[in-house]
Amino acid sequence: MHTMFKELHPNNKISYESYRQVFCRDFNISFGYPRTDPCSACDEFIVKIKNLESGKLENTENLQISMEIKRLTTENTLHKKKAEMFYSRKKMAKKNSRKNSNTEAICMDFAKNLQVPNISTNYIYYKRQLSVYAFNVHVLSTSGSNFYVYSESKGKKGPDNVCSLLHNFIYSHLDPEVKHLKIFCDSCSGQQKNFAFFRFLHNLVNNEKRLESVVVTFPIRGHSYMECDKNFGLVNKKSRAEVPEDWLQILEDARHSLTPFNVINVNHTLFRSWTKFLDNSYPKKSSFPSRPIREINIQRGALLQYRTTYNGAWESASLQVKRRKSSRLPVCHLKDNEFRLPEYSYEGQLPISAEKFRDIQHLKKFCSRAAQEFFANLPHQ
Ligand SMILES: [Zn+2]
């Protein structure tokens, strides 16, 4: 804005600082969050309206066009209202969790994949690198933020990984006093908007009995800007990182305004086969489609409830725990405060493809000796 002002008024020599001072003091204007992924529904609406408006000038049958414009405008207003609902829910949950010590709200998401070696050489564009994943669990009441970091040789980014990471967060980082958890997360079906995740939460409340209730709220597509995105924005993606540990350090140093990020170096032993484990005691297939769901509500001892709008009626689904008639293994009975965990997902580190391994061997020559050794020993096919 300052640059534009100078262009428009070349004779008015005002410094950036003075301009900023006047702007903050004399105007009641604030800035919204930058949208990282623009909403396709809203973009489509803007284009349609533009086309109709230009058609209005050439065409004499204006009434029909005006009606269509009105219909589209109502539709888009409704869409935006729904999007706002997600944000106001999140705001309310944050406020509540600050007031009540037994209530917490979190948002969680994977950052865009990081790479190693992340170095400045033109070769980078032609060679495959090792991906590094960063999963962020952000606590809304305190703004405390946890980053789980691991390379693709330690684990994947599927439903079992999300369940395992969240399980670790709940038992190792969430205040033990918290009994009611609200989760805000992206509608990604390959990660958390799926039946495996819903059963995992039901198990957490009803069998592990760690929590008394969990509510998950999913955003409208395109309007999913969350605290996690703000956190990812603090990370300089151009930082030099030779090995995955370098990204851990960069994340640890990324936040200055609040307490630094709590960065967790994840090993493959953190991941467990939740889907397979839950298949033993829950139905394998969901009786309801998960794609249109906006909210999931799980209360101890009650049926799982879900709804496809933010304010509409709840529907119930029974997750009747199956009793196996003949189990080959004798069942060892558990006490009230005990529970079982699934098996480990991976026996060891995951091998990367031979092609990727070959590419990385080319890139490693621009790295330190320690990094070269790391890359030479990467498990691969
Ligand atoms: Zn939109």
Side-chain angles (χ1 to χ4, degrees):
M1 280 176 70
H2 177 238
T3 310
M4 284 156 73
F5 181 86
K6 280 196 299 183
E7 275 169 22
L8 204 63
H9 308 281
N11 296 325
N12 195 337
K13 304 251 178 286
I14 181 167
S15 73
Y16 176 80
E17 270 317 308
S18 311
Y19 181 90
R20 189 174 183 279
Q21 214 172 23
V22 173
F23 181 85
C24 297
R25 191 189 58 211
D26 300 346
F27 297 88
N28 187 22
I29 302 172
S30 61
F31 296 98
Y33 290 131
R35 272 193 357 211
T36 41
D37 38 35
C39 171
S40 54
C42 286
D43 287 349
E44 208 179 308
F45 166 76
I46 293 165
V47 172
K48 271 187 188 162
I49 291 290
K50 243 187 208 160
N51 290 342
L52 285 169
E53 292 281 4
S54 64
K56 222 172 160 181
L57 298 173
E58 300 156 10
N59 209 317
T60 42
E61 284 173 69
N62 273 348
L63 184 65
Q64 217 172 355
I65 297 176
S66 296
M67 274 165 66
E68 179 62 4
I69 289 178
K70 198 173 170 200
R71 190 189 66 79
L72 284 170
T73 309
T74 311
E75 200 180 277
N76 190 250
T77 309
L78 213 65
H79 161 82
K80 281 195 175 124
K81 276 248 153 61
K82 277 191 211 164
E84 273 166 33
M85 190 56 77
F86 174 77
Y87 294 113
S88 72
R89 273 293 150 77
K90 187 152 65 63
K91 213 168 167 183
M92 192 65 106
K94 182 177 179 172
K95 219 167 132 190
N96 278 336
S97 61
R98 280 184 173 161
K99 274 193 290 194
N100 307 311
S101 58
N102 66 352
T103 304
E104 191 51 86
I106 58 168
C107 48
M108 55 179 214
D109 200 4
F110 274 104
K112 199 166 167 275
N113 289 358
L114 302 165
Q115 308 287 338
V116 282
N118 203 41
I119 46 175
S120 50
T121 163
N122 289 335
Y123 282 112
I124 284 289
Y125 301 107
Y126 311 105
K127 305 285 182 200
R128 276 156 285 203
Q129 295 150 282
L130 187 73
S131 292
V132 177
Y133 309 134
F135 185 71
N136 183 209
V137 184
H138 185 93
V139 179
L140 288 171
S141 72
T142 60
S143 294
S145 217
N146 304 277
F147 268 95
Y148 288 90
V149 184
Y150 58 100
S151 77
E152 61 179 307
S153 359
K154 300 288 171 74
K156 297 177 182 169
K157 277 174 82 177
D160 282 357
N161 305 90
V162 171
C163 292
S164 302
L165 292 164
L166 186 61
H167 197 268
N168 181 278
F169 167 77
I170 288 169
Y171 282 91
S172 308
H173 302 284
L174 182 66
D175 185 340
E177 254 191 80
V178 173
K179 295 294 167 203
H180 305 279
L181 185 64
K182 289 208 156 69
I183 302 174
F184 296 86
C185 56
D186 235 3
S187 304
C188 179
S189 62
Q191 281 155 5
Q192 59 266 331
K193 198 174 185 179
N194 52 59
F195 195 46
F197 187 61
F198 302 160
R199 292 183 300 177
F200 165 80
L201 295 175
H202 189 271
N203 182 62
L204 196 67
V205 171
N206 288 289
N207 299 327
E208 296 187 11
K209 298 191 169 73
R210 166 64 185 87
L211 297 166
E212 283 165 32
S213 78
V214 178
V215 176
V216 189
T217 309
F218 297 101
I220 296 281
R221 225 177 70 182
H223 297 267
S224 60
Y225 196 85
M226 285 191 292
E227 282 73 2
C228 298
D229 299 279
K230 201 172 169 182
N231 294 336
F232 303 149
L234 295 174
V235 182
N236 180 5
K237 316 285 182 306
K238 287 184 182 149
S239 308
R240 187 181 172 93
E242 294 190 354
V243 290
E245 276 70 23
D246 292 341
W247 278 119
L248 276 108
Q249 191 59 50
I250 292 160
L251 280 159
E252 268 170 31
D253 299 336
R255 190 161 79 165
H256 303 287
S257 56
L258 295 154
T259 48
F261 294 138
N262 178 34
V263 184
I264 301 143
N265 192 355
V266 175
N267 203 356
H268 66 268
T269 49
L270 189 135
F271 299 116
R272 292 176 181 270
S273 301
W274 281 101
T275 311
K276 203 174 136 199
F277 175 79
L278 295 164
D279 278 350
N280 286 327
S281 47
Y282 283 93
K284 283 187 186 180
K285 282 237 162 73
S286 173
S287 59
F288 55 93
S290 51
R291 203 188 56 82
I293 286 178
R294 290 278 150 250
E295 257 179 330
I296 285 269
N297 184 356
I298 297 164
Q299 307 278 334
R300 175 95 50 88
L303 294 174
L304 176 142
Q305 298 196 92
Y306 63 93
R307 57 183 174 185
T308 52
T309 56
Y310 290 122
N311 291 302
W314 290 99
E315 292 179 72
S316 303
S318 159
L319 292 182
Q320 190 68 56
V321 175
K322 282 186 295 182
R323 290 267 168 259
R324 279 218 192 153
K325 277 180 198 154
S326 58
S327 182
R328 259 172 270 158
L329 292 167
V331 176
C332 151
H333 287 286
L334 300 171
K335 290 191 193 122
D336 216 27
N337 57 348
E338 295 175 332
F339 60 87
R340 287 191 185 85
L341 282 176
E343 294 165 10
Y344 290 119
S345 292
Y346 317 116
E347 282 173 6
Q349 289 199 55
L350 305 173
I352 58 169
S353 73
E355 295 81 12
K356 190 177 257 197
F357 182 77
R358 210 178 309 127
D359 279 4
I360 292 173
Q361 302 315 306
H362 280 287
L363 291 172
K364 77 175 183 194
K365 41 182 192 253
F366 301 100
C367 298
S368 68
R369 189 173 293 217
Q372 290 189 19
E373 200 168 312
F374 168 79
F375 290 123
N377 293 317
L378 267 184
H380 59 280
Q381 280 158 359

